[in-house]
Amino acid sequence: MAASTPLPVLLFLALTSLLSPAAAASPHISAVISQSGLDFAKDLLVTRAAEAITPLEVPDIERSVTIPLVGTVDMVASGIVLHGVAVENSTVAVGDDGIVVAALLSSVNLTMGWSYSYSAWIVTISDSDGFSNHIRSSVENAIRNKIMEGASKLDSFLGSLPKKIDVDSIAALNVTFVNDPIFKRSSIEFDIDGLFIPSDKSAAFRNRHFGGVKYAPPLGSSSKMLWISLDEDVFNSVSALYFKAGLLQHMVDKISDQFLLNTASWRLLIPRLYQKYPNDDMLLNISATSPPYVRINVGRIDATVDLDVTVNVLDFDEIVPVACLSVSVAVSGAAVVSGNNLAGRVELDYFSFTLKWSKIGKLHTIIVQSVMQLFLKRMFVPYVNSCITRGFPLPIIKGFSIRDAYILTSQSRIIRSPVTTAGTGEGGGRGGGLLSVLDRAMVDEEEYRRARAQVQRKGVEVEGYAIEGVSVGGHETCVTVPSLNVAFDIGRGPLFAVNQDYLFITHAHLDHIGGLPMYVATRGLYNLKPPIVFVPPCIKDDVEELLQIHRRMSQVDLKVELVALDLGETYEIRNDLVARPFETHHAIPSQGYVIYSVRRKLKKQYAHLKGTQIQKMKQSGAEITDTILYPEVAFTGDTKSDFILDPRNADALRAKVLITEATFLDDQIDVDHAREHGHMHLSEIMEHSQWFRNKAIVLTHFSNRYSLEDIRQAVSRLQSKLSSKVVALTEGFKSDYR
């Protein structure tokens, strides 16, 4: 039996109840159900409806037919039971103020009893046309009534959904609907309050079951079904709740570098602390002084929090406060979807601090900065991440799960889609609605991701060497080669350089040597052996005086071995590694360095000997090998291009890896200007390209007048002139380009 059965009431009732707005309020979470999402809901509801209406009993049908010459024929269809419904197709459409679902039934399976009575022998009675139509009509009415009953139950269920989602005993997400839904040609947009409010529950919220559904497919498979947008006020509301509840404080008694939480570690750096509390354990009491403030920007989420960090000493089981710091911390990160929760991770961007009070004398900035950076990176940020990786629940009904989430951050909002391709919609609405901002957000996000990928790249790897560092012309240069245990220059004393035992200074400009005292002090703080620092001989006395000044000011014993390494001299770093300086040409005295691997090769005159003979000669003390130096890594620091033409610098130009500067890249700054200030122009490197025999060249020291795209194009131009592989070190590059 075929029946065309429209079901316009089912989803309309559901959405009428679900989206009935409360009193007017500002929405902070918006959602758009796309056409593919509507199709999914329609298919699910129609399938459930078809399953729910069977078996269905249809009332008995009685009919009397008066036949001329025969009389009255009584016909009865009884015990009619509908066992199965097959849906041929279904559709969903969005109108001006609701949606309509229609389903076409291709067939129904039913059983029934059939009887009729008459008294005649000249007429045959059949059930053609009229009676079969009566049966069809009765079945359709029974199906419609069953669907209306189911729709009413669904409507009641949706109306009973909670108006908040409890996260814990402190916070709950307000999911009250505000404003009227926007019905477009192929989508529906609706708003909810979305701010966190105090919870009155002692246990976490349990998601509601959707009727008897035990499992439903994930939200989406091949197209975006749902977009959800969250305003930054959502996050600020929950931070305010936790702050008000007094939960944003933490006592720290264990850290990865546990020795720092004992006064003995500070006996040289803060003598007064150790004298007053010798060998006592320490505690840190961290408490927020105001709610953390969250800002959502293109491609990232930023947050700042102001903290009081109180240093306590455990003196005979008594907690004694000895100092307090006021610290402002800035972090940034990204949102992620974990299950049906919105979570995230952050990294430390920067921090600042002031000393509020101290009972142990003045705490010197150089010491506090180093310790605070260690503490924030190794304890505070991991602790924050352990909290926010759990996230908070999104308003998703039990039985549904988010899959293939795609997240945009733009214009103070997080825009999240749980699937893979976008649905679109047309029509009017408040300022174009959520869909109207998606295109802009996607363009902004793509541009940001490309730039951010360049900035966040952790160094480069060439010819088997990982090279890390930061180098921005006039601001800071520090480049490390961890496998060789060396660092070149130290503009601001970055933490990544601290583990390198050998530091090579090329010249005395502050953006290349300014971080030296911090580097030495931090190694002392970590109980690392005193570093060996190489400097041009002409500045050794001044560097020694600089360190002595810091020793007097900070009352800290800065332990360091200072080596004046002159041109032509060789220093053995280890038995298979040596260093030699070479001449460079900057605005002030300068020199570069080449790191050589040391290899020993059997002398030619002994090549014919057997192994036992060679061993005997070696035991007798005879010198049977030649020592050969292979240039591995060369670093120029700041220099004019003159170093390229100096034949004494051949080893720098044939090292496996040459790390050199390219301060200026285009015609806006000409070669003469570059040379006047002791720097190189990219065009000079291209002009002298025939002299480079390196396997790889790492460009550094770009002026911050350039953008990352300018640098990329410059590398491409130079690569076309050189057989060497050319890469740019842009880790941490800060551009003035807008």
Side-chain angles (χ1 to χ4, degrees), residues 528-543:
L528 299 174
K529 67 180 182 179
I532 300 176
V533 178
F534 303 89
V535 297
C538 63
I539 67 170
K540 182 189 178 186
D541 291 343
D542 292 334
V543 173

Side-chain angles (χ1 to χ4, degrees), residues 705-721:
R705 72 181 63 238
Y706 301 113
S707 69
L708 289 169
E709 179 61 20
D710 294 331
I711 296 172
R712 186 194 67 78
Q713 291 180 10
V715 168
S716 179
R717 292 198 303 272
L718 182 58
Q719 185 67 81
S720 66
K721 297 288 186 179

Side-chain angles (χ1 to χ4, degrees), residues 137 263 274 680:
S137 177
T263 57
Y274 183 71
M680 274 201 298

Side-chain angles (χ1 to χ4, degrees), residues 619-632:
Q619 292 174 350
S620 70
E623 184 61 52
I624 62 174
T625 60
D626 290 321
T627 299
I628 302 175
L629 302 182
Y630 290 87
E632 300 288 337

Side-chain angles (χ1 to χ4, degrees), residues 354-403:
T354 57
L355 180 63
K356 294 186 72 171
W357 55 265
S358 172
K359 299 178 181 178
I360 50 176
K362 183 179 179 181
L363 302 183
H364 299 289
T365 300
I366 191 172
I367 298 170
V368 175
Q369 182 177 0
S370 181
V371 174
M372 191 57 62
Q373 186 174 37
L374 173 72
F375 163 73
L376 292 174
K377 280 193 171 184
R378 298 193 180 181
M379 199 291 297
F380 176 75
V381 170
Y383 175 75
V384 171
N385 283 330
S386 70
C387 297
I388 64 176
T389 50
R390 295 193 296 267
F392 62 83
L394 291 164
I396 303 297
I397 295 176
K398 177 72 173 182
F400 293 87
S401 61
I402 298 173
R403 187 177 70 184

